[in-house]
Amino acid sequence: ESAPEHQLVVLPTGSGKSICFMLPSLMLEGITLVVYPLLALMTDQERRMEDMGFETVLFKGSQSDAERVISWEKLNRGLAKFVITNPETLRSPSVLERLSSFRISLAVIDEVHTITQWGETFRPAYLDVPNALKTLHPAQIVAFTATASPRIVERIREILFSGKQFHLIEGNPDRPNIIYRAVPSLCKIHDLSMLLQESSLLPSLVFCATRKRSERIAWELTRRLNNHAVRYYHAGLDTQERSLLEQWFFQSEHGILCSTNAYGMGVDKKNIRSVIHYDLSNDVESFLQESGRAGRDGKTACSIVLVDPFCTSTKQSQRSLEGIWQQQGTCRRQSLLKLMGYGLESCSGCDVCSGTVMRNPSGKKEILRLLYIPLRYHEDEMAALLTGDKNSIGYRSWMKMHPLFGTLAGWEPEDVIEAIKIMVAATMIRKRKRFPYKDNLYLPLSILRTQLLEEFHLR
């Protein structure tokens, strides 16, 4: 009798991929080996399986000899049906040798897209998983992921299945209950803090590109939103800290978690109402994985991207993703699915299709209106005037008579200064140097006069 076909199963986040291997495992003799990329995933799955009455064995780094002895004894006595581990532990010669003495009926590789994304960079142990499986001789290999473009599918074929054919089970990656929105931004921290004052967007997960940024954004949001619970999460925290944060956010009804992409893969928090990308993901697969953390309860949720006014990425995959959020005329859901190789009959929710596209970043109109008046300003003066902050270093007594005084009330002076610098970098305005009295004064570009009249109906 020929061996069963190996499989790659691509189903969207929240569709119940775990049950796809747990149920068959109960009907098979032998052990089911499950390989996860993250310790949080391993412990979360162990908890869920044991809650359902399944005996499991978990092999991970930093276990004591006594813990390992107990685990091997459970396997020897046939008390455990599932073995949960990760690529690094599976790479261990002693673990691999002991496991090979057992009958492995099914080998499950969860979040298999990480083989291509991490195995070739900072997780080389992933590239040894195929060799480990050859030693263990599982009757069947089943790999699971929520998103996989044709490019990723082909790399999985090459790495995991040694170029051989496999059975592809593929569901549409679209999550109809997620609404996609782009927020053009001249000052991301200001716009983020404004968004998070909407209770309908809480609990919220804010994705940042780096550990340092996730910490900085969390501290700044804590200062600005003093009645909100804000935390940060990344792989640089120790195991106990991460575990406590996961428990806190899992139970939170209104919490805000600023995190790198270390959080969320396979973590089953169902009521996240918004995922906000402070920094955009590196590719469409990662973006859909991260956006898919929202709305796992099936209720309406939002995926929001804070958009820089100009493209800065040098990676082709990220430039394609950036283009989706910078344009204002094409369905965002359709564009995302097209990058994944799927079509779309109708959009269930994005700002383009609903006619709610935000065409200008917050603050742009007010700054340009100020510069349209034929006066010269230092950036500190502009910040003080527009915010109406009388305690700002740029405040002058005459400002309270200015018609635009306080038109950006609610902004902080440093937010306006950041917006000005972004507008200079994006050539929306220019800096005039060597002015007879002061340096660093700002003027609108001459070409903007007509644009101002058209866009903002200035008179």
Side-chain angles (χ1 to χ4, degrees):
E1 186 177 351
S2 60
E5 237 179 350
H6 300 319
Q7 296 179 348
L8 171 60
V9 180
V10 184
L11 293 174
T13 301
S15 58
K17 291 186 289 294
S18 296
I19 205 71
C20 294
F21 68 81
M22 279 193 270
L23 281 180
S25 297
L26 299 178
M27 297 182 283
L28 296 171
E29 294 183 6
I31 293 168
T32 293
L33 173 71
V34 191
V35 181
Y36 288 108
L38 300 173
L39 180 60
L41 272 177
M42 294 165 61
T43 53
D44 183 63
Q45 192 62 268
E46 180 188 34
R47 174 187 57 79
R48 292 165 64 186
M49 286 183 174
E50 291 184 348
D51 287 346
M52 290 185 284
F54 301 143
E55 282 289 339
T56 64
V57 163
L58 189 148
F59 290 118
K60 60 182 180 179
S62 72
Q63 282 179 313
S64 66
D65 291 340
E67 289 174 314
R68 288 281 172 92
V69 167
I70 293 171
S71 295
W72 290 120
E73 183 61 25
K74 286 176 70 173
L75 289 175
N76 287 329
R77 296 173 59 189
L79 299 178
K81 186 70 176 177
F82 295 91
V83 173
I84 298 173
T85 190
N86 58 24
E88 282 74 15
T89 304
L90 198 60
R91 203 181 197 183
S92 165
S94 60
V95 171
L96 197 58
E97 182 181 359
R98 292 287 299 271
L99 273 179
S100 64
S101 66
F102 296 92
R103 180 179 179 181
I104 309 293
S105 299
L106 181 63
V108 176
I109 315 298
D110 201 21
E111 307 293 353
V112 71
H113 64 281
T114 54
I115 280 187
T116 66
Q117 294 174 336
W118 298 354
E120 296 168 330
T121 53
F122 68 97
R123 293 285 294 277
Y126 254 123
L127 301 182
D128 288 338
V129 169
N131 293 328
L133 295 179
K134 288 176 183 177
T135 300
L136 297 175
H137 301 293
Q140 185 180 25
I141 302 170
V142 181
F144 291 88
T145 184
T147 55
S149 65
R151 174 181 61 86
I152 296 294
V153 170
E154 185 55 35
R155 289 298 291 141
I156 291 171
R157 182 198 308 276
E158 294 171 3
I159 297 172
L160 183 61
F161 298 108
S162 303
K164 297 178 181 178
Q165 292 298 320
F166 55 88
H167 185 51
L168 177 62
I169 301 171
E170 202 168 11
N172 193 312
D174 185 27
R175 290 280 303 284
N177 64 313
I178 295 180
I179 297 171
Y180 295 101
R181 292 170 52 190
V183 175
S185 179
L186 296 176
C187 179
K188 287 187 176 183
I189 188 61
H190 168 79
D191 292 330
L192 179 61
S193 62
M194 292 297 102
L195 283 169
L196 292 174
Q197 291 183 36
E198 299 179 29
S199 59
S200 62
L201 296 180
L202 303 178
S204 182
L205 181 56
V206 180
F207 278 110
C208 305
T210 65
R211 299 175 183 180
K212 185 175 181 179
R213 184 167 295 163
S214 67
E215 293 183 13
R216 179 175 64 82
I217 298 305
W219 285 116
E220 187 62 24
L221 287 176
T222 299
R223 183 178 71 82
R224 293 173 183 239
L225 306 174
N226 53 22
N227 60 337
H228 289 66
V230 186
R231 305 285 188 275
Y232 61 83
Y233 182 100
H234 55 66
L237 303 174
D238 64 39
T239 302
Q240 184 178 9
E241 285 180 300
R242 292 200 302 272
S243 178
L244 290 172
L245 284 166
E246 289 161 12
Q247 292 175 28
W248 166 79
F249 193 53
F250 189 84
Q251 297 169 0
S252 174
E253 294 293 327
H254 302 94
I256 300 166
L257 187 65
C258 301
S259 176
T260 63
N261 60 9
Y263 178 84
M265 193 179 292
V267 178
D268 194 26
K269 179 173 174 60
K270 296 184 182 296
N271 67 332
I272 295 175
R273 297 272 62 87
S274 69
V275 168
I276 302 176
H277 278 86
Y278 192 93
D279 298 301
L280 197 55
S281 313
N282 288 326
D283 49 55
V284 66
E285 292 90 356
S286 299
F287 177 81
L288 289 174
Q289 287 269 352
E290 291 158 7
S291 294
R293 311 282 182 256
R296 295 185 67 164
D297 54 7
K299 298 178 182 178
T300 300
C302 287
S303 172
I304 302 171
V305 178
L306 299 177
V307 184
D308 291 325
F310 51 92
C311 180
T312 57
S313 175
T314 58
K315 286 184 62 178
Q316 177 59 44
S317 59
Q318 193 171 35
R319 281 205 304 272
S320 299
L321 190 57
E322 284 176 337
I324 292 174
W325 305 103
Q326 290 169 337
Q327 60 83 26
Q328 298 179 341
T330 303
C331 171
R332 303 196 199 279
R333 187 183 305 274
Q334 182 184 56
S335 300
L336 287 167
L337 293 177
K338 185 177 180 180
L339 287 182
M340 295 293 295
Y342 288 86
L344 179 68
E345 293 184 4
S346 62
C347 178
S348 58
C350 81
D351 53 356
V352 173
C353 294
S354 65
T356 57
V357 171
M358 186 175 174
R359 300 195 177 277
N360 286 291
S362 176
K364 176 183 175 182
K365 176 179 178 179
E366 290 78 7
I367 292 171
L368 291 180
R369 283 179 66 98
L370 177 61
L371 294 178
Y372 185 73
I373 298 173
L375 295 172
R376 274 64 169 172
Y377 307 92
H378 188 273
E379 61 187 21
D380 289 334
E381 293 174 335
M382 292 172 67
L385 195 158
L386 290 171
T387 61
D389 186 348
K390 296 181 179 180
N391 296 317
S392 172
I393 61 171
Y395 176 72
R396 306 291 182 265
S397 59
W398 57 264
M399 290 180 178
K400 59 186 176 183
M401 304 300 295
H402 197 287
L404 298 180
F405 183 70
T407 52
L408 288 182
W411 287 58
E412 299 195 5
E414 57 264 35
D415 297 344
V416 177
I417 292 172
E418 180 179 341
I420 291 168
K421 291 178 178 177
I422 291 290
M423 292 177 74
V424 170
T427 67
M428 296 178 188
I429 59 177
R430 64 181 171 85
K431 181 186 293 187
R432 178 172 178 172
K433 296 184 178 180
R434 295 186 297 277
F435 191 71
Y437 304 108
K438 295 179 181 178
D439 289 337
N440 299 329
L441 303 177
Y442 294 85
L443 294 168
L445 292 175
S446 58
I447 60 172
L448 286 177
R449 179 175 291 270
T450 302
Q451 178 186 338
L452 284 165
L453 290 170
E454 291 175 352
E455 283 191 23
F456 304 125
H457 308 290
L458 299 178
R459 295 291 184 268

